[in-house]
């Protein structure tokens, strides 16, 4: 059975965040360990757009989290916690966060993207031009890089799509080059 079919069954063919019934798709909650239904939610295009593009957030749309934060599925709880953390300055999201309980592993997963951290403690990844890099961005290598532990050389001009950020070191990102997952130093990339 496909992930989409399983999520439709689990969610009753509704967005697990806001309850919408149209424009649904599988949203994978990053970072993932194994992928699959336990690390995904069924979400509408409006929710996904606002999750991925913080500038598009409509605060009133997220009042739905008052209900969805109690969902039994951990991936839904993680997304709810992240959005409430992002919006907490508005007041009511902080009240909901104060009521929410996540076990240690779930909280660690929710915090893995840096949501909920104070701005002064947040690690910011920047490319060679000082442009801020976000999880899922695409970058291009600006010089040939030898890959440690292999004979591979990642060539200048190679595009690396859907990067992942190292949440402990602002100088490291991860991405796939020629099918191999590698760690790249941010001073050698430029955001596309």
């Amino acid at each position: 059975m496909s992930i989409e079919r399983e999520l439709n069954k689990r969610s009753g063919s509704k967005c697990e965040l806001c309850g919408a019934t149209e424009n649904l798709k599988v949203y994978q909650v990053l970072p993932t360990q194994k992928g699959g239904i336990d690390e995904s939610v069924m979400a509408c295009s409006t929710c996904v757009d606002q999750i991925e593009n913080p500038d598009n957030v409509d605060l009133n749309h997220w009042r739905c989290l008052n209900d969805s934060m109690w969902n039994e599925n951990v991936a839904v709880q993680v997304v709810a916690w992240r959005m409430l953390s992002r919006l907490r300055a508005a007041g009511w999201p902080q009240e909901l966060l104060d009521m929410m309980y996540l076990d240690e592993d779930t909280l660690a997963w929710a915090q893995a993207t840096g949501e909920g951290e104070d701005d002064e403690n947040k690690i910011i990844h920047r490319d060679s031009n000082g442009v801020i890099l976000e999880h899922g961005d695409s970058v291009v290598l600006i010089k040939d890089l030898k890959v440690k532990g292999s004979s591979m050389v990642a060539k200048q001009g190679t595009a690396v799509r859907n990067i992942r950020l190292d949440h402990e070191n602002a100088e490291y990102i991860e991405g796939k080059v020629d099918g191999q997952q590698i760690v790249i130093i941010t001073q050698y990339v430029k955001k596309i």
Side-chain angles (χ1 to χ4, degrees), residues 62-169:
W62 293 104
R63 291 197 179 266
C64 60
L65 295 177
N66 189 37
D67 294 325
S68 57
M69 70 186 233
W70 304 111
N71 192 299
E72 64 187 27
N73 298 296
V74 175
V76 178
Q77 295 171 12
V78 167
V79 174
W81 187 92
R82 288 177 182 172
M83 288 308 297
L84 288 170
S85 294
R86 185 183 297 173
L87 304 171
R88 68 177 178 242
W92 63 264
Q94 182 62 54
E95 292 172 15
L96 294 180
L97 267 176
D98 292 342
M99 286 189 277
M100 196 170 186
Y101 170 78
L102 300 178
D103 63 47
E104 270 184 48
D105 293 338
T106 305
L107 184 59
W109 183 19
Q111 292 173 331
T113 59
E115 289 292 351
E117 292 182 13
D118 294 331
D119 288 339
E120 67 256 11
N121 296 334
K122 200 171 193 175
I123 293 176
I124 298 174
H125 295 75
R126 295 183 185 271
D127 72 0
S128 60
N129 295 327
V131 176
I132 294 175
L133 298 171
E134 300 285 341
H135 188 84
D137 282 347
S138 296
V139 297
V140 65
L141 301 179
I142 60 170
K143 93 177 235 179
D144 289 353
L145 301 174
K146 292 180 183 175
V147 179
K148 285 185 180 179
S150 102
S151 60
M152 182 179 140
V153 175
K155 297 288 186 186
Q156 177 179 347
T158 302
V160 182
R161 306 200 184 293
N162 198 18
I163 63 168
R164 295 178 183 222
L165 306 178
D166 182 319
H167 295 289
E168 295 177 10
N169 190 328

Side-chain angles (χ1 to χ4, degrees), residues 5 22-23 26 29 33 39 45 52 64 86-87 93 98 111 116 119-120 131 150 155-156 172 177-178 181:
R5 212 172 310 144
E22 295 184 10
N23 300 319
V26 175
V29 183
Q33 297 291 324
E39 296 180 351
S45 57
E52 294 178 346
C64 60
R86 185 183 297 173
L87 304 171
D98 292 342
Q111 292 173 331
D119 288 339
E120 67 256 11
V131 176
S150 102
K155 297 288 186 186
Q156 177 179 347
Y172 295 149
V177 175
D178 295 333
Q181 188 81 7

